Amino acid sequence: MTTNTFDVTTRLAALPTAAISDALDSLGVHATLHGLAPLSYEFRTAGPAFTVQYEPAGSERGSVGDFLDDVPPGAVVLIDNQGRTDVTVWGGIMTEIAAARGIAGTVINGVCRDVSTSLEQNYPLFSRGRFMRTGKDRVRLVAVGAELTINDVTISPADIICGDADGALAVPYAHAERVAEIAERIEATEARIIAAVKAGSTLVRARADLGYHDLQWRNA
Amino acid sequence: MTTNTFDVTTRLAALPTAAISDALDSLGVHATLHGLAPLSYEFRTAGPAFTVQYEPAGSERGSVGDFLDDVPPGAVVLIDNQGRTDVTVWGGIMTEIAAARGIAGTVINGVCRDVSTSLEQNYPLFSRGRFMRTGKDRVRLVAVGAELTINDVTISPADIICGDADGALAVPYAHAERVAEIAERIEATEARIIAAVKAGSTLVRARADLGYHDLQWRNA
Amino acid sequence: MTTNTFDVTTRLAALPTAAISDALDSLGVHATLHGLAPLSYEFRTAGPAFTVQYEPAGSERGSVGDFLDDVPPGAVVLIDNQGRTDVTVWGGIMTEIAAARGIAGTVINGVCRDVSTSLEQNYPLFSRGRFMRTGKDRVRLVAVGAELTINDVTISPADIICGDADGALAVPYAHAERVAEIAERIEATEARIIAAVKAGSTLVRARADLGYHDLQWRNA
């Protein structure tokens, strides 16, 4: 990671995905990954994307996971298996190695296996669920480091993937600083609204006084 | 809450939704909310419904959550967002305020965000899942305090919403006393069946001896 | 259970379903039960199947759970309710009795209720989810001890059902010894791969050196 990427990742890592999503909304950027959930509510991750694309295997022998040696520490592995839930593209060996190498987490448009290893290692996995049947010989790695499109969100390797209990999203690198800045402002405002209500204000008044309804509007 | 509502809510709050559902079956009342699950198995709630209806926003600016000032302590907020899972209608600020005000819980035909806040505050949320993208400006509040229909169950504001690890249901106010009475009887009978089997009876005999199979029949 | 069944069940119980699934793959056997998940990541089970088939009830009065007296200790109850999620075929009384009798667990192609009892008793339940509405009078028990087909997997009563955090599968009895043997070998190889990578090898080299990619091939 460059210093810039490191700095903005650190800021995004401290923010809830809810505030990041609101900041993205205010810039008119759609980047939330619908349907991808953490295996545990405790899991959080943030880091530049290391993108991996799978497709169903044809007659050729498949290849799962050999890209792992190339993932830099701090990155989030983002795997697109086209939403398939019947075969896995991440398992226990990969979790063990990724955790040992300081990889920040893995987000899968598809499913993983060896949930227990992920929980034991406290290695953050986000997916459409889990199953035990391997994708090896059922799927084929077609690209590493290429742009991915998951649902209707396009993600480049420089983009920063963030995940928490609410799910995962991809902050486009070009907007990352601005997103962090707006999201930090949203968090501060929300804290003030909560304090005002706990001190006796109505929610309507607190939100109006603090300009909450303008926070997610474009050009906020 | 009136004294009556308070009393019957207290009785229903002590019962599992399974026994309440059986009692409703015995009266021929359909009131279970399919697909709405607690965020945590630890969550339980019971209280009269405070109903909120959303629909997709058109060109008008949306409005999320300003009804919260009007929810009385002890009520369960019941929100119908028509089963949508791509935008949220409840989040962290609302959880903080609802918990502080003694609101009993929130049940959503849709999704919520800020799961972590709900878990930290031990504030019971039931939903179709969670996501981080706000519904603000995507949905529009169309009615508060009106009758709702979720799947094929119609719920009025006086009805009592109950939720536990198995999900959520809506006890019609007119039946609430009778439902509590039958459900208490079911619970007592089930405890006797378990005791009889643990003391050596077969399950078939214990159920027959204790009239279990008649418990959920109409006019039980 | 015969001595043989007991021995192979004990070996399978010690293995993750991921390794068992890989061993089944190597023999060309399809036996994973897609969509059936444990209620808790802590749950593990293994035992010969006690098969139960339900279908929607017609005009006759239903019958739920009276087979339980006939389930031997150590067996896994495998219930096919045809994937229905709107009515349950297992609940708290059955959990209490099954746990007290040493039944190894219950796997349902459908849903269960009384999740709290299952968690309190640490009784392993696998299902498509949970709901509180009883199947009694809505479903009808049509066969006990017969062959079942769940999705595209056919299961006989002698087959051994295994479940863990990743889900559940059915090891055909005729293959059970061979499956255990191959799965044990897979586990040992995976442990060596992880050790090699932690000692400095690349994953690509460790997998090649240890023949990992051949492990799941037929006739491995």
Side-chain angles (χ1 to χ4, degrees):
Chain A
M1 280 197 263
T2 63
T3 310
N4 258 5
T5 300
F6 179 79
D7 289 349
V8 77
T9 298
T10 303
R11 290 170 68 188
L12 291 170
L15 289 159
T17 59
I20 296 170
S21 173
D22 286 352
L24 288 162
D25 274 346
S26 78
L27 299 170
V29 176
H30 173 45
T32 54
L33 301 172
H34 188 239
L36 307 195
L39 292 184
S40 158
Y41 288 146
E42 305 299 317
F43 287 168
R44 290 185 59 78
T45 192
F50 184 95
T51 62
V52 179
Q53 177 73 57
Y54 282 103
E55 67 176 23
S59 53
E60 283 177 81
R61 208 161 147 165
S63 143
V64 169
D66 284 348
F67 61 84
L68 198 59
D69 294 319
D70 305 319
V71 181
V76 172
V77 180
L78 178 67
I79 303 178
D80 183 18
N81 193 28
Q82 305 179 351
R84 284 181 69 176
T85 61
D86 62 331
V87 297
T88 62
V89 288
W90 186 275
I93 292 184
M94 299 175 81
T95 293
E96 291 269 5
I97 294 172
R101 291 220 177 128
I103 294 171
T106 299
V107 176
I108 306 167
N109 183 24
V111 295
C112 56
R113 68 181 192 176
D114 297 310
V115 165
S116 301
T117 308
S118 161
L119 298 173
E120 281 158 26
Q121 300 279 333
N122 198 27
Y123 180 79
L125 276 176
F126 295 71
S127 68
R128 291 195 181 274
R130 60 280 162 293
F131 196 39
M132 81 293 286
R133 192 161 71 142
T134 185
K136 194 158 80 71
D137 308 325
R138 295 190 173 95
V139 296
R140 194 170 74 85
L141 196 157
V142 285
V144 166
E147 206 172 78
L148 299 179
T149 300
I150 293 178
N151 300 334
D152 48 354
V153 176
T154 299
I155 303 122
S156 295
D159 296 346
I160 296 165
I161 309 298
C162 300
D164 64 11
D166 291 339
L169 47 71
V171 180
Y173 184 72
H175 296 291
E177 294 267 353
R178 184 89 180 103
V179 164
E181 189 184 308
I182 300 170
E184 286 159 358
R185 187 145 46 91
I186 290 171
E187 279 295 281
T189 304
E190 295 204 347
R192 284 199 298 273
I193 291 169
I194 292 167
V197 174
K198 289 189 174 173
S201 171
T202 62
L203 177 56
V204 169
R205 171 167 296 277
R207 279 176 164 169
D209 286 353
L210 291 154
Y212 181 75
H213 289 299
D214 292 319
L215 281 174
Q216 291 135 267
W217 282 90
R218 296 212 187 184
N219 307 316
Chain B
M1 281 198 263
T2 63
T3 310
N4 257 5
T5 300
F6 179 79
D7 288 348
V8 76
T9 298
T10 303
R11 290 170 69 189
L12 291 170
L15 289 159
T17 59
I20 296 170
S21 173
D22 287 353
L24 287 162
D25 275 345
S26 79
L27 300 172
V29 176
H30 173 46
T32 53
L33 301 173
H34 188 240
L36 308 195
L39 292 184
S40 159
Y41 288 145
E42 305 298 318
F43 287 167
R44 288 185 59 79
T45 192
F50 183 96
T51 62
V52 179
Q53 177 73 57
Y54 282 102
E55 66 177 24
S59 52
E60 284 177 81
R61 208 161 149 166
S63 142
V64 169
D66 285 348
F67 62 83
L68 198 60
D69 294 319
D70 304 320
V71 181
V76 172
V77 181
L78 178 68
I79 304 178
D80 183 17
N81 193 28
Q82 305 179 351
R84 284 182 69 177
T85 62
D86 63 329
V87 298
T88 62
V89 287
W90 185 275
I93 291 183
M94 298 173 82
T95 293
E96 291 270 4
I97 294 171
R101 289 219 179 130
I103 294 170
T106 298
V107 176
I108 306 167
N109 184 24
V111 295
C112 56
R113 68 181 193 176
D114 298 309
V115 166
S116 302
T117 307
S118 160
L119 299 172
E120 280 158 26
Q121 300 278 332
N122 199 28
Y123 180 79
L125 276 176
F126 296 71
S127 68
R128 293 196 181 274
R130 59 279 164 291
F131 196 39
M132 81 292 287
R133 192 162 70 141
T134 185
K136 193 157 80 69
D137 308 326
R138 296 189 173 95
V139 296
R140 193 169 77 83
L141 197 157
V142 284
V144 166
E147 205 172 78
L148 299 179
T149 300
I150 293 178
N151 301 332
D152 47 353
V153 176
T154 298
I155 302 123
S156 294
D159 297 345
I160 296 165
I161 309 298
C162 301
D164 65 9
D166 291 339
L169 47 70
V171 181
Y173 184 72
H175 297 289
E177 293 267 354
R178 184 89 180 102
V179 164
E181 187 184 310
I182 299 170
E184 285 158 359
R185 186 147 44 93
I186 289 171
E187 280 294 281
T189 303
E190 293 205 349
R192 284 199 298 272
I193 291 170
I194 293 168
V197 174
K198 288 189 175 173
S201 171
T202 62
L203 177 56
V204 169
R205 171 167 296 276
R207 279 176 164 167
D209 286 354
L210 291 154
Y212 181 76
H213 289 299
D214 293 319
L215 283 173
Q216 292 135 264
W217 282 90
R218 296 211 187 185
N219 307 317
Chain C
M1 282 196 261
T2 63
T3 310
N4 258 6
T5 301
F6 180 79
D7 288 348
V8 76
T9 297
T10 304
R11 289 170 69 190
L12 291 170
L15 289 159
T17 60
I20 296 170
S21 174
D22 286 353
L24 288 162
D25 274 346
S26 79
L27 300 171
V29 176
H30 173 46
T32 53
L33 301 173
H34 188 239
L36 307 195
L39 292 184
S40 158
Y41 288 145
E42 305 298 318
F43 286 166
R44 289 185 59 77
T45 192
F50 183 96
T51 63
V52 179
Q53 178 72 57
Y54 283 102
E55 67 176 23
S59 52
E60 284 177 81
R61 210 161 146 165
S63 143
V64 170
D66 285 347
F67 61 84
L68 198 59
D69 293 319
D70 305 319
V71 182
V76 172
V77 180
L78 178 67
I79 305 178
D80 183 17
N81 193 28
Q82 306 179 351
R84 284 181 70 176
T85 62
D86 63 329
V87 297
T88 62
V89 288
W90 186 275
I93 291 184
M94 299 174 81
T95 293
E96 291 269 6
I97 293 171
R101 290 219 179 130
I103 295 171
T106 298
V107 176
I108 307 166
N109 183 24
V111 295
C112 56
R113 68 180 193 177
D114 297 309
V115 166
S116 301
T117 307
S118 160
L119 298 173
E120 280 158 26
Q121 300 278 333
N122 199 28
Y123 180 78
L125 276 177
F126 295 71
S127 68
R128 292 195 181 273
R130 60 280 162 293
F131 196 40
M132 81 292 286
R133 192 163 69 141
T134 185
K136 193 157 82 70
D137 308 325
R138 296 190 173 95
V139 296
R140 195 169 75 85
L141 196 156
V142 284
V144 167
E147 205 173 77
L148 299 179
T149 300
I150 293 179
N151 301 334
D152 48 355
V153 177
T154 299
I155 303 122
S156 293
D159 297 344
I160 296 165
I161 309 298
C162 301
D164 64 10
D166 291 339
L169 47 71
V171 181
Y173 183 71
H175 297 289
E177 293 267 353
R178 184 90 180 103
V179 164
E181 188 184 308
I182 299 170
E184 286 159 358
R185 187 146 44 90
I186 289 170
E187 279 294 281
T189 303
E190 294 204 348
R192 285 200 297 273
I193 291 169
I194 292 167
V197 173
K198 288 190 173 172
S201 171
T202 62
L203 176 56
V204 169
R205 172 167 295 275
R207 279 175 163 169
D209 285 355
L210 291 154
Y212 181 76
H213 288 299
D214 293 320
L215 282 174
Q216 292 135 263
W217 282 90
R218 295 210 186 186
N219 308 315

